[in-house]
């Protein structure tokens, strides 16, 4: 009798162990999640998220004026994008409209507010992907294109290529009648000061200030993603970050999700972050939330890869995990809306 | 009785249907495979594969001299790489040694033999990835670096960045004492003729001539991958292809495989080809052969993405699928060795 009961106990223990191992294998740890999950109970008609960079945003480090200006800008971008989605417009149009507004605002490290390179120039990167066609376009290291996101989309639509860089990308943009500006347009004094601080402070050699991005699902269920940046303060040697790299900084696939990244770009390239989130959904059948959290809070965090992503999936779920102190971010669906900066915000 | 038998028949039919659906979901069609699979029964000590570009290589289109010269060069590259692996050297050293030899040979579209851009210049791209550290380096659009693969590796080892382009990448290479050459070094008359043909022939506007690459597993079980190219004949606007894009042209991860791509680069970027093969192994538990064939023969073929990959997995299995008429290719392990050009070759 003792032996029979013991056998049963061992059997139950064994079964419990198997179940535990199986659950460990298929469900990554998401307990340390810092993220907004918008998983609507009823299906949303459209869904869109934006970011203005993940980084060291805390209530102590951001003054009241900046806090206010950033929220106004995020809401302006959401307004412009939502106007398009509400009227049945395309996800791609909404993405470009939102990013253009953020590029034109000096608060963000993209377009007008792009950070300075080591040589006191500005070199901007951007990319765009359409999840319905899997078409994509990107520009890297451009210095006279006012809105790099428009050039990235034009590369996709009007060239046989995906990625153009430097003077060639600028010549292409000119042929496409995309607005060019004098390089001095990007000369924002605050950014120059950041460069000088970075050069003086060995610990802050390259400040990894944010980026802007947008992901959207439109009423037809099509997905699109875009990202735009000035890169790293004090970068050298025509460095290209993850923002113009399809699969790293930007990815969209109607079968899974749309992703835009922000953070220490070198890690996002090496870990193919945007495509990895999509692959975890497609091949391992993780939810958007599980996939995005696994990559940002587990894989990247483990190796010191600071940053975050905004994602929307084919059902309109939104996830915005980041492993930095804060992230400028916002979202809108036909059911709700919010913007936030800090980690402790309910939004 | 009739009813009981019928129920059993229905039950069996139902079971068969479920099994069929399950098998369709998990096993991609690999029936149209054109590939060399080296799946050794006993574990190999090291394994390495190289390519000199997938393209329109048929017995009719390649003259005898070219056929011979290519086979000699492929064997030279295998010799140099094997000497390193045999002596317990690192996969990364073998990859760079093999690619350097192919870059120095004008038969291939990389280094010396790089094709011409629309403006009669040469713009070379290369990348390198170490699967043991997930570190990577790349250069894009460089015109005076003799061996771009060496510069790519130096970016990984001696800069905080992953990707440098244009003049900046060249300045970095100079600081690293990497050999620079006059731009005229890359002026190979045959390649200039190709450009002129491409400009005259509207149907051949951009010839997608191959690329070179190498993947290796060393005696310690570490993986590495590298790719180097001159890009597309007649390319414009500082176009960057997939070769310097981590996740598209090159990828290595000790947990899965090392991959180097060749083909119509825009498709390889949009479909994140190299990382996709790794993700199918990691998340869907496909074998190297199944994963590589699925991406090349199914996904890419369906959308007209011409090209191929060479891959080696963490157990030393090698797979070399391509969906073009031919591919310059070779492999070596401590058990066997081969080089080939055409589809009908037993090698």
């Amino acid at each position: 009798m003792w032996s029979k009961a013991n056998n049963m106990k061992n059997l139950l223990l064994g079964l419990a162990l198997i179940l535990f191992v199986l659950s460990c294998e298929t469900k990554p740890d998401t307990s340390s999640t810092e993220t907004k999950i918008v998983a609507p109970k009823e299906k949303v008609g459209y869904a869109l998220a934006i970011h203005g960079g993940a980084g060291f945003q805390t209530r102590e480090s951001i003054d009241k004026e900046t806090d206010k200006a950033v929220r106004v800008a995020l809401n302006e971008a959401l307004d412009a994008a939502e106007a398009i989605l509400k009227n049945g417009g395309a996800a791609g149009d909404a993405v470009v409209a939102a990013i253009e507004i953020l590029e034109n605002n000096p608060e963000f490290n993209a377009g007008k507010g792009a950070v300075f390179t080591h040589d006191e120039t500005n070199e901007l990167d951007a990319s765009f992907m359409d999840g319905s066609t899997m078409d994509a376009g990107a520009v890297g290291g451009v210095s006279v294109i006012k809105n790099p996101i428009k050039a990235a989309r034009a590369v996709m639509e009007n060239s046989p290529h995906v990625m153009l860089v430097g003077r060639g990308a600028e010549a292409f943009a000119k042929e496409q009648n995309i607005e060019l500006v004098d390089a001095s347009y990007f000369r924002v004094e605050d950014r120059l000061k950041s460069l000088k601080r970075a050069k003086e402070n060995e610990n802050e050699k390259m400040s990894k200030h944010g980026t802007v991005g947008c992901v959207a699902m439109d009423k037809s269920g099509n997905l699109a993603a875009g990202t735009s940046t000035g890169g790293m303060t004090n970068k050298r040697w025509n460095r290209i970050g993850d923002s113009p790299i399809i699969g790293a900084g930007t990815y969209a696939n109607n079968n899974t999700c749309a992703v835009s990244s922000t953070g220490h770009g070198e890690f996002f390239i090496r870990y193919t972050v945007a495509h990895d989130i999509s692959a975890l959904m497609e091949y391992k059948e993780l939810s958007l939330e599980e996939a995005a959290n696994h990559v940002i809070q587990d894989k990247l965090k483990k190796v010191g890869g600071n940053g975050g992503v905004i994602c929307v999936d084919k059902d309109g779920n939104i996830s915005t995990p980041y492993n930095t102190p804060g992230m400028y971010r916002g979202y809108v669906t036909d059911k709700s809306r919010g913007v936030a900066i800090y980690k402790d915000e309910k939004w």
Side-chain angles (χ1 to χ4, degrees), chain A residues 45-48 50 75-101 128 150 153 214-222 224 332-334 337:
Chain A
Y46 56 82
L48 177 136
I50 54 177
N75 273 307
E76 274 174 11
L78 290 179
D79 286 342
E82 189 178 18
I84 292 166
L85 294 178
K86 193 179 269 178
N87 290 320
D93 291 336
V95 164
V96 173
I99 292 178
E100 190 182 346
I101 285 173
F128 177 87
K150 285 186 176 177
R153 192 184 190 175
C214 181
V215 292
M217 180 198 78
D218 62 28
K219 285 186 175 173
S220 308
N222 288 323
V332 64
T333 74
D334 49 339
R337 172 182 182 136

Side-chain angles (χ1 to χ4, degrees), chain A residues 320-336:
Chain A
T320 62
Y322 57 95
N323 59 31
T324 49
M327 178 163 83
Y328 294 141
R329 57 205 190 273
Y331 82 94
V332 64
T333 74
D334 49 339
K335 305 282 188 287
S336 63

Side-chain angles (χ1 to χ4, degrees), chain A residues 131 149 270:
Chain A
I149 191 65
R270 291 164 50 208

Side-chain angles (χ1 to χ4, degrees), chain A residues 49-263:
Chain A
I50 54 177
H51 68 75
F56 296 91
Q57 296 100 331
T58 60
R59 291 188 190 273
E60 296 70 41
S61 66
I62 306 267
D63 61 56
K64 275 189 182 167
E65 289 70 36
T66 304
D67 178 299
K68 196 178 162 190
V70 165
R71 288 175 202 268
V72 167
L74 292 173
N75 273 307
E76 274 174 11
L78 290 179
D79 286 342
E82 189 178 18
I84 292 166
L85 294 178
K86 193 179 269 178
N87 290 320
D93 291 336
V95 164
V96 173
I99 292 178
E100 190 182 346
I101 285 173
L102 301 174
E103 282 179 338
N104 291 345
N105 190 314
E107 294 292 345
F108 306 99
N109 174 22
K112 176 73 179 160
V115 297
F116 280 84
T117 69
H118 185 80
D119 300 324
E120 298 197 5
T121 60
N122 308 94
E123 295 176 354
L124 290 73
D125 303 332
S127 66
F128 177 87
M129 188 158 184
D130 180 333
S132 65
T133 57
M134 305 281 291
D135 271 341
V139 294
V142 295
S143 297
V144 297
I145 298 175
K146 188 183 176 199
N147 293 105
I149 191 65
K150 285 186 176 177
R153 192 184 190 175
V155 170
M156 177 186 100
E157 290 177 342
N158 302 323
S159 91
H161 301 312
V162 168
M163 187 174 188
L164 305 179
V165 299
R167 299 302 83 80
E170 290 166 356
F172 172 78
K174 195 178 173 190
E175 286 182 29
Q176 295 289 313
N177 293 317
I178 286 171
E179 189 176 352
L180 302 186
V181 289
D182 190 85
S184 64
Y185 166 79
F186 299 106
R187 200 173 175 87
V188 174
E189 288 309 315
D190 254 17
R191 299 295 194 218
L192 252 182
K193 281 183 201 154
S194 299
L195 172 66
K196 278 164 194 163
R197 275 200 308 275
K199 283 186 174 178
E200 283 160 14
N201 183 351
E202 279 299 305
N203 291 328
E204 203 192 328
K205 258 190 174 168
M206 275 177 308
S207 158
K208 291 168 281 288
H209 199 287
T211 288
V212 309
C214 181
V215 292
M217 180 198 78
D218 62 28
K219 285 186 175 173
S220 308
N222 288 323
L223 301 181
T227 310
S228 181
T229 192
M232 283 179 172
T233 297
N234 204 20
K235 66 184 178 183
R236 292 186 67 185
W237 307 302
N238 299 135
R239 173 257 191 188
I240 299 279
D242 65 315
S243 300
I245 306 291
I246 299 303
T250 301
Y251 189 73
N253 180 340
N254 269 14
N255 294 324
T256 53
C257 61
V259 181
S260 170
S261 307
T262 163

Side-chain angles (χ1 to χ4, degrees), chain A residues 8-22:
Chain A
M8 183 60 86
K9 195 177 138 200
N10 284 342
L11 185 70
L12 284 173
L13 270 173
L15 270 173
L17 187 68
I18 288 166
L19 284 172
F20 174 74
V21 169
L22 280 176

Side-chain angles (χ1 to χ4, degrees), chain A residues 254-277:
Chain A
N254 269 14
N255 294 324
T256 53
C257 61
V259 181
S260 170
S261 307
T262 163
H264 192 157
E266 277 68 14
F267 286 90
F268 283 70
I269 296 177
R270 291 164 50 208
Y271 288 84
T272 327
V273 165
H275 181 261
D276 201 26
I277 293 171

